[in-house]
Amino acid sequence: MTFSLPFDPLYTALSIVVMSDLALLGAERPRLCIRLIAMQGLLMGLMPLAAGKSGVNLYVLGVCAVFAVIKGMVLPWLLRRTLHRLPPLAAPAPYVGHAACVVLGIFGLTLSIWLGRRMGIAANPLFSEVFPAGMATMIAGILLMVTRREILSQMFGYLVMENGIFLLGSPMAEQSSLWLELTVLLDILGAAFVMGIAVHHMSRAFDAVDADHIASLRD
Amino acid sequence: MIYLLICLPLAAALASWFILEDRRRRVLLTGTAGLELLLALSCLVQPPEPVAGGALALDSIGLLVLTLTCTLFFAAALYAAGYLQSEPAGERRDFVHGLHFTNAPEATFTACLLLFLSSSVLAAASRHFGLLWIGIETTTVVSAPLIYFHRHRRSLEAAWKYLLLCSVGIAMALVGNLLLDIAVQSTANETVGMTLSDLVAAAPGAHQGRLKAAYVFLLIGYGTKMGIAPMHTWLPDAHSEAPSLVSALLSGALLNCAFLGIFRATEVTAAAGLTDFSDPLLITFGILSMTTGALFIVGQGDYKRMLAYSGVEHMGILLLALGTGGEAAKGGVLHMAGHSLVKAALFLLAGNILACYRTKIMHDVTGMRRLLPATSALWTAGIIAVCGSPPFVLFASEFSILEGLLRRSPPAAVYYLFLLGVVFVGMMLPAQRMYAGAPPPGLERPERKRSFSVLTPACLIVSALLLGLYMPARLDGLLCGAAPSRPAQAAGYIRDDGAGAGPRDDIFRVRPGLPALDPNAMHTGAVDDGAQ
């Protein structure tokens, strides 16, 4: 007896990722951003399973569980911890408004779909399917970094961009290379940890969470 | 051996967190650095066997970067022992803004230094693109706390910029790795590994469009870390605000690791016959970086920032040499070695000047020959060396690059000479002002407490001088082996992409009936005549 889902799990997951990108670009409250990043992270953790190249065995399941825990729980916990340690200052207005950011995100998605078609079918057809969502997530991360003045948002942007890259890499993940992906993820975790400490120190040293106030080093 | 090279500093870093006494921790730091240098030198004599299926192996360029990293780290560790001892405990006043600040715990600083060594060695020994990325990204994570050793606003700002910009840059390099994987897998019949040898062997049949896209991402990504313009904005801030020994390591060792990333990517594109695509990119970014460096050096008021912009200029020279190929590429590899030695020495000396004058503003630093006679002599020698003057090694390397450029593009060679001239004037004039004149009132000759603060940079500058006068055969062999080869099309040859060709020899194989090319004779009249 076979059991089939009434929907395609991969496309559903990719649609959720793209929608969360747009929601992140439109979100004003940091707590909502952290929740969206956590949701993205959980989905990312399961992506190597969807790739199918690795086959599903105990090892792959274990590594995917570690991915999901780090991306969906540890990194958001780090973000929440950093947020709690920030002084209760009003968030500075972004350089580009939230609505305009969403429009830019939609433009980024369109560009990603166009680029995906231009690139043609790669050896692994799954890559072509994942490419638009991965690229759009990367663009959303970059937009978050360059359009927001709040230093914590720059950290959000970095993590969203990394999610996009992780998504792009997931079709290539083979069982033999999962250790490499895990090491890459641990590196990113280390970077996020150091960034969290830096954000906390900056908010104390400059008494501000505005990136514009942190620009004393010039020629 | 390679595992030992990576794990020794890693273990020492872990141990340093558990050692409570500062003096013992400093002994651990210098001891580990010394042992690591000895191991690296033994690799020069007897290169170790590749491990991890060829993912970790020391080829010529890897060996050179490893030796330079370990040499500079040993110099920095000797300097650090005295430096850390002289740093006062507790709060003190920042001499720029007058605000109070403290230092980061010494255990964290020492551990991060050792982790930096471990990750740099990993990057140098990696022939696997994924591992190389991990090594370079780890250097970013562990060196950010080093920049923020003095816990004041400026160093925090510098560390944040460094961390954010380099992390984003390195993320771009990760995309480049993915695209590289896709480029070789999409046309291959079986899975291609990500080691340099696998990629070079698969490159001729790879999807060219995707390979080009991968190269652009790798160049931008590792270029950000290398500090090439216009992605260099983190570099002057980080190098000027970090403690001098950290600036020496960032400039002398870290930039080489990032250059190695671009170097490896260029080897793959060269094997794919895409030098027509990669060379103009390298030359453009090289010239842009040299121009940016020269523009900001002229009229620069901060001597540590001046050294940092000189780093941007020299990274431009490296890209220019790599893009020019032939003798210029060999000169580029020599330039990498020379720049590391001299720039590290200059940053260490800048630390001595800062400790005495308590300012980084060049106009306020006068009469160094009276207050700091040894430092001032070495500083002047170092500035002369870094400007590419004879008889230092940088003169020989810059001359080789000029020769290569004259053959490839005379207008670029003229512009290159012009920029070198601008940098020479821009650095020599303030150095002369710092050396001469009367010391500021109230400042007296400091008591000599740390002999290594002068001895260490002196050894580095003397090494740069000796290499300019005499090139040991082993090092020359290493440079010849490390210099990237160019595809035969550059000299009018038609390439034969024979299956199973090696990473270097294949590029110089020509169609039957045509004379074989000598990799070291590229761009020479003899070779060109042969082509006709």
Side-chain angles (χ1 to χ4, degrees):
Chain A
M1 186 176 140
T2 55
F3 173 76
S4 62
L5 290 170
F7 55 88
D8 186 325
L10 179 68
Y11 278 107
T12 312
L14 292 178
S15 309
I16 295 172
V17 169
V18 169
M19 282 192 285
S20 66
D21 290 339
L22 298 177
L24 270 161
L25 289 170
E28 284 186 40
R29 287 183 299 129
R31 276 174 209 285
L32 176 61
C33 291
I34 294 173
R35 281 193 201 118
L36 288 166
I37 291 170
M39 188 185 69
Q40 271 195 358
L42 279 172
L43 286 171
M44 296 299 154
L46 303 175
M47 276 299 162
L49 284 178
K53 239 180 157 183
S54 314
V56 180
N57 56 36
L58 211 58
Y59 171 71
V60 175
L61 277 174
V63 174
C64 286
V66 174
F67 284 161
V69 167
I70 294 176
K71 280 201 160 284
M73 293 163 87
V74 179
L75 284 172
W77 170 78
L78 261 175
L79 290 174
R80 266 194 296 273
R81 186 168 162 268
T82 309
L83 180 65
H84 285 150
R85 294 169 81 183
L86 289 181
L89 296 168
Y95 298 115
V96 180
H98 293 92
C101 254
V102 176
V103 174
L104 286 173
I106 293 170
F107 177 72
L109 178 64
T110 316
L111 183 75
S112 308
I113 294 169
W114 177 77
L115 261 177
R117 285 191 181 159
R118 285 263 304 169
M119 281 193 76
I121 297 169
N124 182 351
L126 194 62
F127 179 77
S128 304
E129 292 174 27
V130 163
F131 182 86
M135 197 70 190
T137 308
M138 259 185 70
I139 293 172
I142 293 170
L143 280 174
L144 272 175
M145 272 191 284
V146 298
T147 59
R148 304 287 161 94
R149 281 167 58 186
E150 202 180 356
I151 44 177
L152 191 62
S153 295
Q154 296 185 336
M155 200 173 153
F156 292 162
Y158 171 69
L159 292 176
V160 172
M161 192 181 78
E162 286 291 352
N163 278 345
I165 298 171
F166 191 87
L167 191 54
L168 285 178
S170 56
M172 269 86 75
E174 293 193 36
Q175 192 164 329
S176 57
S177 66
L178 283 177
W179 66 269
L180 195 70
E181 295 222 13
L182 187 61
T183 321
V184 169
L185 187 54
L186 288 176
D187 249 339
I188 290 159
L189 179 65
F193 180 70
V194 177
M195 275 183 193
I197 295 172
V199 167
H200 169 59
H201 280 261
M202 276 195 293
S203 65
R204 273 189 9 189
F206 292 88
D207 202 19
V209 289
D210 186 347
D212 276 1
H213 289 173
I214 306 161
S216 63
L217 298 172
R218 284 156 200 257
D219 282 298
Chain B
M1 178 63 104
I2 296 177
Y3 286 135
L4 184 63
L5 276 163
I6 297 166
C7 293
L8 178 69
L10 195 64
L14 291 176
S16 71
W17 263 307
F18 296 101
I19 295 174
L20 298 175
E21 203 184 324
D22 287 344
R23 213 171 67 85
R24 283 188 184 173
R25 206 182 295 113
R26 288 168 206 154
V27 171
L28 176 77
L29 176 68
T30 44
T32 310
L35 203 55
E36 191 81 353
L37 178 59
L38 283 177
L39 288 173
L41 292 176
S42 75
C43 290
L44 272 181
V45 179
Q46 178 67 47
E49 288 295 311
V51 290
L56 290 172
L58 283 167
D59 52 10
S60 298
I61 184 86
L63 208 49
L64 193 66
V65 171
L66 173 79
T67 314
L68 282 171
T69 304
C70 292
T71 307
L72 296 188
F73 193 85
F74 183 59
L78 288 177
Y79 188 93
Y83 171 78
L84 292 170
Q85 200 175 359
S86 66
E87 281 288 291
E91 273 199 353
R92 64 196 154 119
R93 197 177 278 271
D94 170 22
F95 59 81
V96 176
H97 291 126
L99 299 170
H100 288 275
F101 75 95
T102 56
N103 285 346
E106 199 180 309
T108 309
F109 184 73
T110 311
C112 285
L113 272 178
L114 289 161
L115 287 174
F116 174 82
L117 176 63
S118 177
S119 48
S120 302
V121 170
L122 173 66
S126 293
R127 277 175 67 88
H128 188 285
F129 274 67
L131 278 180
L132 177 69
W133 185 90
I134 288 167
I136 295 177
E137 165 67 8
T138 311
T139 58
T140 311
V141 177
V142 298
S143 51
L146 294 175
I147 296 170
Y148 185 43
F149 176 60
H150 295 308
R151 292 190 161 175
H152 50 60
R153 282 181 172 196
R154 294 187 320 282
S155 63
L156 181 58
E157 184 184 333
W160 175 251
K161 278 187 189 170
Y162 168 71
L163 191 61
L164 198 70
L165 283 172
C166 287
S167 296
V168 172
I170 291 290
M172 293 295 146
L174 188 58
V175 177
N177 276 350
L178 290 175
L179 289 172
L180 194 59
D181 193 21
I182 293 160
V184 291
Q185 309 294 359
S186 33
T187 48
N189 295 324
E190 53 187 32
T191 307
V192 179
M194 283 295 279
T195 62
L196 183 65
S197 314
D198 291 336
L199 289 172
V200 164
H207 188 287
Q208 299 232 326
R210 288 169 200 153
L211 200 56
K212 284 178 184 173
Y215 186 74
V216 170
F217 272 95
L218 287 167
L219 180 61
I220 300 288
Y222 290 132
T224 306
K225 182 85 179 177
M226 194 179 156
I228 59 171
M231 296 85 73
H232 67 284
T233 48
W234 64 269
L235 192 144
D237 295 347
H239 286 205
S240 65
E241 296 307 326
S244 293
L245 73 108
V246 175
S247 309
L249 285 175
L250 291 181
S251 191
L254 182 75
L255 300 187
N256 290 350
C257 291
F259 175 64
L260 192 60
I262 295 177
F263 188 96
R264 300 278 193 223
T266 307
E267 281 189 287
V268 177
T269 48
L274 288 177
T275 44
D276 287 347
F277 173 76
S278 62
D279 286 355
L281 275 176
L282 289 168
I283 291 172
T284 307
F285 275 113
I287 293 216
L288 188 62
S289 299
M290 281 189 74
T291 309
T292 308
L295 283 175
F296 281 91
I297 283 171
V298 175
Q300 181 58 247
D302 179 324
Y303 55 87
K304 280 189 88 178
R305 286 183 88 85
M306 180 182 78
L307 294 182
Y309 279 113
S310 161
V312 175
E313 180 233 348
H314 282 281
M315 291 305 108
I317 294 177
L318 290 190
L319 288 195
L320 197 58
L322 192 60
T324 306
E327 277 300 303
K330 186 183 161 190
V333 178
L334 180 64
H335 196 81
M336 178 184 76
H339 171 257
S340 293
L341 294 172
V342 176
K343 193 53 70 62
L346 280 171
F347 270 117
L348 295 181
L349 292 166
N352 296 349
I353 299 169
L354 187 60
C356 174
Y357 285 85
R358 317 297 294 168
T359 180
K360 286 187 278 188
I361 299 167
M362 278 191 276
H363 275 285
D364 296 340
V365 179
T366 49
M368 265 171 57
R369 64 184 168 151
R370 292 190 194 162
L371 291 183
L372 300 166
T375 296
S376 66
L378 289 169
W379 175 261
T380 310
I383 295 286
I384 290 171
V386 88
C387 290
S389 314
F392 291 95
V393 63
L394 289 174
F395 171 74
S397 61
E398 286 181 1
F399 194 79
S400 296
I401 296 165
L402 179 66
E403 271 187 311
L405 263 178
L406 276 171
R407 289 201 185 93
R408 178 132 189 192
S409 166
V414 172
Y415 189 59
Y416 165 79
L417 267 183
F418 167 72
L419 289 176
L420 289 182
V422 170
V423 170
F424 183 84
V425 175
M427 289 188 86
M428 283 307 292
L429 285 179
Q432 190 269 335
R433 268 201 308 268
M434 289 167 80
Y435 179 78
L443 270 185
E444 289 182 3
R445 193 169 168 168
E447 194 182 330
R448 172 75 62 81
K449 283 180 189 169
R450 301 185 280 141
S451 52
F452 280 124
S453 64
V454 174
L455 200 60
T456 316
C459 288
L460 295 175
I461 288 179
V462 168
S463 308
L465 176 69
L466 290 177
L467 282 179
L469 297 172
Y470 170 72
M471 181 65 61
R474 177 75 184 105
L475 188 61
D476 194 44
L478 213 58
L479 292 175
C480 287
S485 38
R486 317 305 300 164
Q489 292 101 309
Y493 283 89
I494 305 159
R495 232 183 98 198
D496 174 17
D497 297 325
R504 260 171 242 290
D505 305 333
D506 64 328
I507 290 168
F508 292 93
R509 189 182 302 165
V510 292
R511 277 197 176 162
L514 287 173
L517 281 167
D518 173 13
N520 298 320
M522 290 300 292
H523 301 290
T524 63
V527 172
D528 291 342
D529 292 342
Q532 289 156 11

